[in-house]
């Protein structure tokens, strides 16, 4: 079975943790322990988040020479390499030495007319108090929105149109390689027309990891698409006395339910897109439950098969 697993940001850096290499490696090690049994039994493709890492690199660059700070597309490429290296090493230490790995820098095309450019919504980087956020907005022109009781920078989040490296990913899978790609939603790029020249350029944006991972899973013909987060499942009435865990659902049964735009909403939408477009399963759940999620015994499974929605209290 071909499985695409999208690691949530919590698999690399939990909220409130220091953004050090040691902390990230410890979290990647935990992720590798969950992924290794899957890699032994199935073809595995891994994508991952990178928001805190990109934010940290941006801050480091600005502290050195603010006017020469690297753009987000270049920082995204740097984090794909660094995070992929850690995943390869930690997962490789748990698998036979002859298992091949490859981390691919993954360019993803977006539409320059995408409405996401008009309303920045994607959180990136660390949290700030209101005074710090206001100062950075004045100094750098960044846009901030509230995230819990703190503030974070937001950037445009256009939808992915095309994954440029999809053919190399397929070639590697045909040779039983574990592939790490589309990190952070991929490197955002678009075509610009300059005179008579059509040129591919980077974009100061962040593509949603879940939407890009869904496109990846669909184009690879994945049998299962799994999004791992810090919640054990998708819930109805989250945080209320009537809270219920959704165990199984069809896309139609979820269509009119308002899930949080900044957290579970994109995951549910991506899962529904995958199920509707392929007729196969998508699932959402916690990293530690990955084996049970794949077996359909944990998390939330979304499929066109069945009727309606099954919930547990």
């Amino acid at each position: 079975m071909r499985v695409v697993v999208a690691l949530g940001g919590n698999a690399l850096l939990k909220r409130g943790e220091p953004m050090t290499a040691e902390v990230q490696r410890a979290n990647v090690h935990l992720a590798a322990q969950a992924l290794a049994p899957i890699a032994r039994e199935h073809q595995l493709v891994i994508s991952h988040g990178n928001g805190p890492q990109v934010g940290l690199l941006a801050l480091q660059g600005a502290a050195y020479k603010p006017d020469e700070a690297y753009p987000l597309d270049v920082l995204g490429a740097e984090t794909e390499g660094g995070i992929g290296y850690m995943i390869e090493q930690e997962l490789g230490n748990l698998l036979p030495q002859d298992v091949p790995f490859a981390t691919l820098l993954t360019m993803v095309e977006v539409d320059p007319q995408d409405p996401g450019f008009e309303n920045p919504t994607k959180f990136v980087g660390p949290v700030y108090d209101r005074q710090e956020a206001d100062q950075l907005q004045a100094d750098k022109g960044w846009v901030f929105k509230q995230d819990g009781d703190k503030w974070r920078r937001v950037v445009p989040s256009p939808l992915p149109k095309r994954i440029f490296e999809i053919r190399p990913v397929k070639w590697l899978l045909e040779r039983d390689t574990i592939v790490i790609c589309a990190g952070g939603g991929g490197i955002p790029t678009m075509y610009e027309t300059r005179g008579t020249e059509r040129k591919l350029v980077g974009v100061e944006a962040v593509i949603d990891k879940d939407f890009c991972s869904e496109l990846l899973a669909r184009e690879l013909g994945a049998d299962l698409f799994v999004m791992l987060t810090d919640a054990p499942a998708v819930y109805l009435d989250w945080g209320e006395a009537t809270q219920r865990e959704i165990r199984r659902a069809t896309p139609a049964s979820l269509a009119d339910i308002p899930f949080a735009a900044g957290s579970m909403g994109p995951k549910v939408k991506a899962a529904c897109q995958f199920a509707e477009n392929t007729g196969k399963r998508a699932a959402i759940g916690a990293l530690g439950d990955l084996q049970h999620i794949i077996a359909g015994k944990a998390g939330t499974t979304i499929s066109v098969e069945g009727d309606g929605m099954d919930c547990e209290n």
Side-chain angles (χ1 to χ4, degrees):
M1 185 165 68
R2 181 171 292 179
V3 182
V4 172
V5 175
L7 292 173
N10 63 290
L12 301 172
L13 194 68
K14 298 177 177 62
R15 183 181 289 268
E17 288 184 329
M19 291 190 290
T20 65
E22 291 77 12
V23 168
Q24 291 180 57
R25 183 174 290 280
N27 287 330
V28 171
H29 177 72
L30 293 176
Q33 289 180 316
L35 290 166
I38 311 308
R40 293 188 184 101
E41 297 181 16
H42 306 289
Q43 280 193 333
L44 179 62
V45 180
I46 303 166
S47 66
H48 57 80
N50 70 346
Q53 291 78 15
V54 165
L56 177 61
L57 289 178
L59 286 174
Q60 291 172 339
Y64 173 58
K65 285 188 177 181
D67 295 335
E68 299 178 11
Y70 279 61
L72 285 176
D73 59 307
V74 176
L75 299 183
E78 291 183 14
T79 59
E80 279 194 326
I83 294 170
Y85 158 68
M86 287 190 179
I87 294 174
E88 282 195 32
Q89 195 172 74
E90 294 300 325
L91 191 53
N93 285 334
L94 299 173
L95 295 172
Q97 291 187 358
D98 60 347
V99 173
F101 291 86
T103 296
L104 289 185
L105 297 182
T106 314
M107 294 191 296
V108 178
E109 183 183 1
V110 301
D111 186 344
Q113 303 303 317
D114 191 292
F117 287 108
E118 301 297 323
N119 178 32
T121 58
K122 194 69 175 178
F123 288 114
V124 62
V127 296
Y128 302 92
D129 60 34
R130 181 60 186 269
Q131 184 176 356
E132 290 175 316
D134 288 345
Q135 189 63 52
L136 284 167
Q137 185 164 347
D139 292 343
K140 303 180 183 300
W142 290 355
V143 178
F144 285 85
K145 291 186 179 180
Q146 196 163 3
D147 183 16
D149 61 349
K150 296 289 186 178
W151 295 77
R152 291 179 72 192
R153 183 188 178 193
V154 289
V155 297
S157 184
L159 292 173
K161 288 180 58 180
R162 175 168 54 142
I163 298 172
F164 284 99
E165 287 79 12
I166 198 69
R167 287 181 299 168
V169 175
K170 290 179 179 178
W171 297 338
L172 289 163
L173 288 175
E174 289 169 2
R175 291 155 179 81
D176 295 322
T177 303
I178 296 173
V179 182
I180 301 114
C181 62
I187 304 165
T189 57
M190 66 184 182
Y191 283 102
E192 282 187 353
T193 301
R194 301 176 180 177
T196 59
E197 183 182 24
R198 188 168 179 256
K199 187 176 182 180
L200 187 66
V201 299
V203 183
E204 191 78 351
V206 173
I207 301 168
D208 186 278
K209 167 183 60 63
D210 297 315
F211 292 147
C212 184
S213 299
E214 186 276 328
L215 177 61
L216 175 71
R218 184 162 23 103
E219 293 197 350
L220 290 178
D223 300 292
L224 176 63
F225 170 41
V226 182
M227 287 166 282
L228 298 176
T229 183
D230 54 359
V234 181
Y235 287 84
L236 290 177
D237 302 333
W238 172 254
E240 305 293 334
T242 54
Q243 174 179 303
R244 290 165 291 160
E245 178 181 316
I246 301 174
R247 291 289 295 111
R248 295 173 184 80
T250 61
S253 68
L254 298 169
D256 297 324
I257 300 174
F259 296 101
S263 56
M264 197 59 76
K267 290 177 173 53
V268 171
K269 185 174 181 179
C272 289
Q273 285 179 181
F274 180 78
E276 289 176 322
N277 287 321
T278 67
K280 298 175 182 177
R281 289 190 300 141
I284 302 169
L287 175 65
D289 294 333
L290 181 55
Q291 285 184 277
H292 295 302
I293 291 170
I294 289 178
K297 298 178 180 179
T300 297
T301 297
I302 297 174
S303 169
V304 294
E305 297 179 358
D307 298 316
M309 180 188 305
D310 296 329
C311 298
E312 295 179 359
N313 292 326

